[in-house]
Amino acid sequence: MQDKIVNLYDRLKVISDDFLDYQKRNDFMPIRECLNEIQEFAVWFMGRKQLDIDDQTWQKLKKRLMDTLGDIVQSIEQQDYVLMHDAVTYGLIEYLKIFMPDSMEEMES
């Protein structure tokens, strides 16, 4: 799963950065192309407790991820690139960062 997370992170980072390019700002195709990987990550994340944290915090993280996924769907339905950008940049990417190799090494130290 680690390789998939890194790949998805890299792809979403490009999508997030494209928000700054006015001509690419309204292109929803790149995020649509990532939906299967986003879904796979979400199912994996929610399938079992992936982090060594207390149950209450874990439940909050799961709820926040569900809210973020809902925002991504809503942004596509409403063609709201600002909502999509926020959901990806400040939501999903933050979850993926937790499982990036550098973050995992820091957690183990």
Side-chain angles (χ1 to χ4, degrees):
M1 189 66 183
Q2 185 69 41
D3 291 340
K4 290 180 180 184
I5 290 172
V6 170
N7 184 35
L8 180 58
Y9 175 85
D10 291 342
R11 290 175 67 192
L12 293 177
K13 198 77 172 110
V14 169
I15 291 168
S16 175
D17 292 345
D18 281 350
F19 179 74
L20 302 175
D21 183 343
Y22 184 76
Q23 295 185 352
K24 295 180 182 177
R25 185 171 288 179
N26 294 316
D27 185 5
F28 283 86
M29 192 50 76
I31 195 70
R32 287 175 187 249
E33 291 171 352
C34 292
L35 290 178
N36 286 336
E37 289 87 353
I38 292 169
Q39 179 183 10
E40 184 177 3
F41 170 75
V43 168
W44 171 80
F45 184 86
M46 304 240 188
R48 68 178 181 84
K49 193 172 172 183
Q50 301 295 343
L51 301 169
D52 187 22
I53 56 177
D54 65 88
D55 289 340
Q56 185 177 4
T57 303
W58 178 246
Q59 293 303 319
K60 287 179 185 177
L61 283 176
K62 287 180 16 178
K63 172 152 182 6
R64 200 165 10 150
L65 180 58
M66 289 301 295
D67 292 344
T68 298
L69 296 173
D71 287 346
I72 290 171
V73 170
Q74 181 181 352
S75 70
I76 292 171
E77 289 173 348
Q78 297 177 357
Q79 298 290 300
D80 185 341
Y81 198 86
V82 174
L83 178 59
M84 188 278 295
H85 175 263
D86 289 349
V88 168
T89 304
Y90 306 114
L92 194 53
I93 286 178
E94 293 301 313
Y95 277 86
L96 296 172
K97 277 184 188 178
I98 296 169
F99 300 101
M100 295 300 287
D102 293 341
S103 296
M104 296 301 286
E105 289 171 13
E106 288 176 18
M107 291 172 96
E108 291 172 0
S109 314

